Amino acid sequence: MKIFRPILAAIALCAAVSAGAQDKPSKYEMRAGWMASVANINWPAKKGLTQEELKKGFITYLDSLAAVNANAVIMQVRPTGDAFYPSSIEPWSIYLTGVQGQAPEPLWDPIAFMIEEAHKRGMEFHAWMNPYRIAQSADTSRFAATHAIRQHPEWFVTYGGQMYFDPGHPGSAKYTNEVVREFVSRYDVDGIHFDDYFYPYKVTDKDENGKTYVVDFPDTLTWEQFGKPFFKDKDAWRRNNVNQLIRMLSQTIRETKPWVKFGISPFGVWRNKSTDPVRGSDTQAGVQNYDDLYADILLWSEKGWIDYVTPQLYWKIGKKIVDYPILLDWWIKYSNGRHLYIGHSMGNGADEIERQIEMLRAKGYDQVQGSFYWNAASVLRNAKDRESNREMNPMLRSLNTTVALVPPMPWLDMTAPQAAADLKVSGSAPIVEVSWKPTYSDNLMYFLVYKFEKGQPVDVSDPSAIVAKLHYENDETMSYYDKQGRKGDFTYAVTAVSRNNIESPAVSQAVKVTKTAVKTK
């Protein structure tokens, strides 16, 4: 018998609630932490760390997120056209060993390790990839011999001192699609995630008279070859390039593993009302997704190409030109039935983030399904609010007093897994063992263990009774040890949970716990 320690002990969840009835936290709410690898922002902390140091650092981040009841990690695995895993397509990342293309010594797979550790803690792992950026400088000498720029220099351009895949070249999209296909095929990943970097943010310069102008993205050659013969409008062509990439990736992910989610975290403003009086938001942002980054987010959700959108609403409540509550309402209106998670800048401080999360929860689970935290370091290092000196960890713990399940997506597999079998409760106070035999289902991912007090009915809609969430790993028998097994009458129940967080019927056993034995009732 393989024995599992509780992954998420003493879990107290509340059932999903309707809009406006947010006096209790929802049983289902996405709570994710972003972890950036580019420029060694989060993980790895620096280049050239040992395997032991890398593993320790990642576990520390995961544990800090679990401590504030987060249920997903968004890990950047492809920052600059290189990889944090052994890829047959792209070289090892420069941010891992310090030399692009140089494998870690001894050879190991950081992503396989990360996914395993996340799942152990009942957390989803979303692989964050950048589709176009390949370098934060124009120094081509640092590219590995196996980098795509060595074989296909015609795919790439330099803009604002950084290097990118040219989205207008068909080879760029096909290449990125194969990178995603390889990753999804190889790993037990829960989601693929892109942030706001599509076409790069506009770069400005000054002319000989000192007048500022916008530098056009250098895609003239591909426009002449692939765009101009078919499009009258260059901006429309650029948007189409990104649209086709998103459509292609969505199809590839669905064909490879239909349960893997595809999410986008765009800049917080799609278009200002002054630009688009019909659908624009009442904002005055200097950047617009549709016009400046050529990212037509609304089309992607309308077409069902993406599963969730996480707009980066990094502004404070009350900011005149881009007000958080105005944008919150706008994204609710235009999420098009896909899940909406709000991206928060934790640098705004504990007081502000608390107000923002409370505001989105007040909208109701049916309108907003959760939050992403940028970035995980604010939780790990317990950042303080500069104005109030309030710490981030206690604030998040007070907001997330319970652990929540990742919300089910009704357009994915809604089939419940088979219920557990042969439930047994044994031991004696103060340690009670609950064991069962899993019944295999191809969508089985976790088990939830409930504990009900004397006189309570077996009500699995009451998440406050959940005491553990255990990852299924093809085991014949699973066990949970209740170390709070005090004397008295209790009922234990177990449900199987699918990848989409759909629960099976519960199996239960009423018992009387004494100092010397557990007696079945």
Side-chain angles (χ1 to χ4, degrees), residues 184 189-192 253-254 257-262 307 412:
V184 173
V189 64
D190 300 290
I192 297 296
I253 293 168
R254 295 284 182 266
K257 289 180 180 175
W259 57 87
V260 173
K261 303 165 187 175
F262 186 24
D307 296 300
L412 299 182

Side-chain angles (χ1 to χ4, degrees), residues 89-155:
I89 302 173
E90 296 194 300
W92 284 95
S93 177
I94 190 173
Y95 300 112
L96 183 63
T97 61
V99 178
Q100 191 176 79
Q102 180 176 305
E105 179 63 39
L107 184 64
W108 67 296
D109 188 338
I111 300 304
F113 166 79
M114 289 178 173
I115 293 174
E116 180 181 2
E117 290 299 319
H119 287 169
K120 280 181 182 178
R121 290 161 178 77
M123 300 173 73
E124 288 194 351
F125 185 96
H126 291 219
W128 170 13
M129 298 182 173
N130 291 85
Y132 296 126
R133 182 182 62 210
I134 64 164
Q136 292 186 297
S137 73
D139 181 5
T140 59
S141 67
R142 303 184 72 182
F143 288 112
T146 54
H147 195 282
I149 198 172
R150 302 298 190 190
Q151 285 76 41
H152 297 281
E154 71 277 10
W155 292 353

Side-chain angles (χ1 to χ4, degrees), residues 34 193 264-270 289 297 308-315 324 327-328 330-332 335 339-345 370 372:
W34 271 298
H193 179 86
I264 306 289
S265 176
F267 178 74
V269 174
W270 181 69
N289 274 297
I297 312 296
Y308 67 83
V309 60
T310 307
Q312 298 172 22
L313 303 193
Y314 290 171
W315 303 280
Y324 173 87
L327 283 169
L328 176 62
W330 188 92
W331 282 102
I332 288 172
S335 60
H339 276 190
L340 174 62
Y341 312 134
I342 300 303
H344 305 275
S345 174
F372 279 24

Side-chain angles (χ1 to χ4, degrees), residues 198-429:
F198 293 100
Y199 275 82
Y201 285 80
K202 303 289 188 183
V203 171
T204 60
D205 202 349
K206 291 186 178 181
D207 62 19
E208 57 186 11
N209 298 316
K211 186 177 180 179
T212 300
Y213 67 96
V214 174
V215 179
D216 193 32
F217 188 76
D219 55 0
T220 301
L221 292 178
T222 49
W223 161 248
E224 293 288 339
Q225 185 177 359
F226 302 110
K228 196 172 182 179
F230 310 102
F231 290 83
K232 294 181 180 180
D233 183 341
K234 192 173 187 180
D235 286 356
W237 169 70
R238 287 172 171 169
R239 273 188 290 275
N240 185 68
N241 293 332
V242 183
N243 290 342
Q244 294 311 308
L245 173 68
I246 298 300
R247 181 194 60 78
M248 184 189 305
L249 292 174
S250 177
Q251 182 176 347
T252 294
I253 293 168
R254 295 284 182 266
E255 289 175 351
T256 307
K257 289 180 180 175
W259 57 87
V260 173
K261 303 165 187 175
F262 186 24
I264 306 289
S265 176
F267 178 74
V269 174
W270 181 69
R271 299 186 94 186
N272 296 317
K273 184 176 287 187
S274 58
T275 306
D276 186 338
V278 177
R279 294 201 294 177
S281 55
D282 190 12
T283 53
Q284 302 172 49
V287 175
Q288 302 171 94
N289 274 297
Y290 185 89
D291 303 273
D292 299 310
L293 307 179
Y294 306 103
D296 191 356
I297 312 296
L298 302 194
L299 177 69
W300 308 342
S301 57
E302 287 170 355
K303 294 290 187 180
W305 294 342
I306 60 176
D307 296 300
Y308 67 83
V309 60
T310 307
Q312 298 172 22
L313 303 193
Y314 290 171
W315 303 280
K316 291 187 176 182
I317 297 169
K319 188 172 180 62
K320 290 184 179 179
I321 61 173
V322 275
D323 195 356
Y324 173 87
I326 288 175
L327 283 169
L328 176 62
D329 286 340
W330 188 92
W331 282 102
I332 288 172
K333 182 178 180 180
Y334 289 106
S335 60
N336 295 312
R338 287 344 224 185
H339 276 190
L340 174 62
Y341 312 134
I342 300 303
H344 305 275
S345 174
M346 308 306 276
N348 283 329
D351 284 356
E352 176 68 22
I353 299 306
E354 181 178 55
R355 288 193 293 269
Q356 291 185 3
I357 293 176
E358 287 176 341
M359 186 174 291
L360 72 85
R361 285 179 176 174
K363 298 294 181 180
Y365 167 80
D366 57 335
Q367 298 192 68
V368 190
Q369 289 78 36
S371 299
F372 279 24
Y373 311 140
W374 172 254
N375 62 46
S378 64
V379 180
L380 175 65
R381 300 181 185 127
N382 197 18
K384 288 186 178 182
D385 191 317
R386 293 179 180 179
E387 296 179 2
S388 68
N389 205 37
R390 191 177 178 197
E391 294 181 332
M392 191 63 69
N393 273 339
M395 183 279 293
L396 286 175
R397 289 175 190 240
S398 69
L399 277 180
N400 303 338
T401 55
T402 65
V403 173
L405 300 180
V406 173
M409 293 180 172
W411 53 91
L412 299 182
D413 180 12
M414 292 292 287
T415 306
Q418 295 293 315
D422 198 21
L423 178 66
K424 296 179 180 178
V425 185
S426 58
S428 61

